Amino acid sequence: MQAIYFLLALFLLLNLIAGMWRVLRGPTAADRMLAAQLFGTTAVAILLIVAQATGDPALRDVALVFALLAAVTAVAFVRRAWPDEDPRHDTD
Amino acid sequence: METLTLLALSFDALLNLSLLYLAWILLNCEDLLKAIVLFVAFGLLMALAWVRLDAPDVALAEAAIGAGLTGALLLTALAKLRVIETNKGTTQQLKQDSENFQTLHYMTPLALLLVAIGLGYVVFSMPPISAGLSNDVATNMGNSGVSHSVTAVLLNFRGYDTLLEMFVLLVSLLGVWSFGSTTSQHETTPGPVLDTLTRRLVPVLILVAAYLLWVGAHAPGGAFQAGSVLAAAGVLLLLMGWRPGGYLSTLPFRLILVAGPGLFAITAALLYLLKGQLLAFPVEYAGIIIFALETTATLSIAVILAALFLSEPPHSDKEHI
């Protein structure tokens, strides 16, 4: 059973690395940020699986903090970085 | 069992390689916004690495600070930097700075290489198998007042480390305040989505902060993690355009700022006078002392981090009335 958990975690990590391509290529800042947010979601999934595999409930707390604070980064991006980056969206 | 080790090993190898690759690109990145996004991704992977190293306490701190708060802090710093740059243009001073940076560019790797050699020497000169101080910690756990070894070390056995860290945070805030206020960015009113998100998220963040503080006594968690989650609630409110204004300079706010380090210092001084030893908690009261210290520390850390994010010094009394 543990082997299946680790196989799943490995698969998710590969997914995450595939997502890195989008972070590097862009082309806009929002593409990069969304990919990083996807990283966060994937990392939460990996943490929950590893928590199940190793039987360490503290990892679920780490996953919880991840999930909550990823939203703060996203809000910071929307409020601080995005309008400057693309003036086309400023006309609302 | 054989496949399990192989899978765990390949997971760790992949994680390490992507960490090194990310760090390399991140340091070579010209586009600052891209670098910030890469840094957030790096923080995420780093937290996973801490989990694999069996250090969930550090993973929690990394998740809260590295992947959460630092991203918001850096994005805001970048936004302010852009405002300053558009106001001033590329002046001679900036050119001078970048020329100075060029010499630093060659000096930094040299300094880092020396540090790496020193660290490598220390690592290789250590005995291959050693229990370190973990046996001492295990035998003294009964006297610590808590049942989680990391909290016992941070708040009891090596309490002065945490005491000094609290003061470092406070001094860093004073340092930021001494720069004076910066040009504030134009704020747009948040749309309904952001508004609803904030209303739902802030209470949850406060609840999780309280949970992390409480759970710290017997499992990974504690003041720094709880403080940064609480600070995230404040950062979210600040991002939505909430401004404390004159409230920053009021007495209650100042008291909360110094409560954590202050209570810690007072406890240390009292114990030194009574028992002749700094921060040697009496066994029967250790649990309650640690809880009181952690609670005030959480509040202070949260307010200090949120104030660092705001980075505007409080107005003097004359101005805000």
Side-chain angles (χ1 to χ4, degrees):
Chain A
M1 199 59 200
Q2 269 202 320
I4 298 175
Y5 285 137
F6 268 103
L7 196 66
L8 278 173
L10 191 64
F11 175 69
L12 284 171
L13 186 66
L14 282 171
N15 260 322
L16 206 152
I17 290 167
M20 209 141 37
W21 182 78
R22 186 44 75 191
V23 176
L24 295 177
R25 285 293 299 274
T28 65
D31 291 312
R32 299 186 213 280
M33 197 64 217
L34 273 178
Q37 289 290 308
L38 194 67
F39 277 28
T41 315
T42 316
V44 168
I46 292 176
L47 280 169
L48 291 177
I49 286 174
V50 175
Q52 198 66 24
T54 56
D56 188 353
L59 300 188
R60 296 199 184 99
D61 292 350
V62 183
L64 178 69
V65 171
F66 255 147
L68 284 173
L69 291 197
V72 176
T73 316
V75 173
F77 175 77
V78 172
R79 298 287 289 164
R80 291 286 185 264
W82 180 236
D84 282 356
E85 202 44 34
D86 192 355
R88 279 171 299 170
H89 289 268
D90 263 0
T91 52
D92 51 349
Chain B
M1 200 61 212
E2 195 63 14
T3 40
L4 187 66
T5 344
L6 197 68
L7 280 172
L9 257 180
S10 42
F11 184 87
D12 294 347
L14 210 56
L15 190 62
N16 273 326
L17 284 178
S18 33
L19 267 175
L20 283 175
Y21 180 64
L22 260 184
W24 178 252
I25 308 182
L26 166 61
L27 290 174
N28 277 311
C29 190
E30 297 259 316
D31 179 3
L32 285 180
L33 193 56
K34 186 178 168 187
I36 292 172
V37 175
L38 285 170
F39 187 73
V40 170
F42 182 82
L44 278 167
L45 289 180
M46 199 62 219
L48 285 181
W50 285 120
V51 165
R52 290 299 299 151
L53 287 170
D54 215 5
D57 288 87
V58 192
L60 256 181
E62 179 71 40
I65 298 173
L69 279 182
T70 324
L73 202 63
L74 289 175
L75 282 168
T76 306
L78 182 63
K80 285 192 172 166
L81 200 63
R82 280 185 178 158
V83 172
I84 293 169
E85 272 176 1
T86 44
N87 284 354
K88 287 184 183 168
T90 321
T91 52
Q92 195 63 37
Q93 181 60 36
L94 279 172
K95 274 183 189 163
Q96 187 66 41
D97 282 352
S98 61
E99 270 165 28
N100 289 343
F101 189 72
Q102 279 297 320
T103 42
L104 260 180
H105 201 81
Y106 298 107
M107 291 301 288
T108 325
L110 211 69
L112 285 176
L113 193 69
L114 282 175
V115 173
I117 290 172
L119 277 177
Y121 174 73
V122 170
V123 168
F124 281 108
S125 63
M126 282 199 296
I129 297 163
S130 161
L133 290 171
S134 54
N135 283 337
D136 294 336
V137 171
T139 47
N140 285 309
M141 271 308 287
N143 301 331
S144 67
V146 288
S147 58
H148 182 52
S149 53
V150 176
T151 310
V153 171
L154 285 181
L155 267 300
N156 198 336
F157 304 148
R158 284 185 67 91
Y160 49 88
D161 278 350
T162 313
L163 171 67
L164 292 176
E165 275 165 24
M166 295 291 308
F167 277 101
V168 167
L169 264 181
L170 193 61
V171 169
S172 70
L173 178 65
L174 295 181
V176 168
W177 277 355
S178 71
F179 283 120
S181 54
T182 46
T183 28
S184 56
Q185 213 201 2
H186 166 69
E187 293 274 352
T188 50
T189 43
V193 176
L194 279 183
D195 195 55
T196 315
L197 179 81
T198 313
R199 281 168 200 274
R200 297 279 157 84
L201 206 55
V202 168
V204 179
L205 282 170
I206 294 172
L207 191 67
V208 170
Y211 162 72
L212 284 176
L213 172 66
W214 183 254
V215 88
H218 54 86
F224 272 88
Q225 289 87 342
S228 26
V229 171
L230 199 56
V235 165
L236 203 57
L237 288 173
L238 290 172
L239 280 170
M240 298 303 283
W242 174 70
R243 287 291 172 271
Y247 186 69
L248 268 179
S249 54
T250 55
L251 188 66
F253 175 79
R254 284 165 194 248
L255 279 180
I256 294 175
L257 272 186
V258 296
L263 188 68
F264 224 127
I266 290 170
T267 314
L270 276 180
L271 285 171
Y272 185 71
L273 288 177
L274 292 174
K275 305 186 78 177
Q277 263 184 313
L278 210 64
L279 290 171
F281 303 144
V283 176
E284 60 268 36
Y285 299 118
I288 192 80
I289 293 177
I290 288 178
F291 184 66
L293 287 179
E294 285 218 287
T295 310
T296 47
T298 302
L299 287 175
S300 292
I301 290 168
V303 176
I304 290 173
L305 287 177
L308 273 175
F309 179 79
L310 183 64
S311 76
E312 275 168 34
H315 311 288
S316 70
D317 286 354
K318 290 168 215 152
E319 279 174 72
H320 83 262
I321 305 170

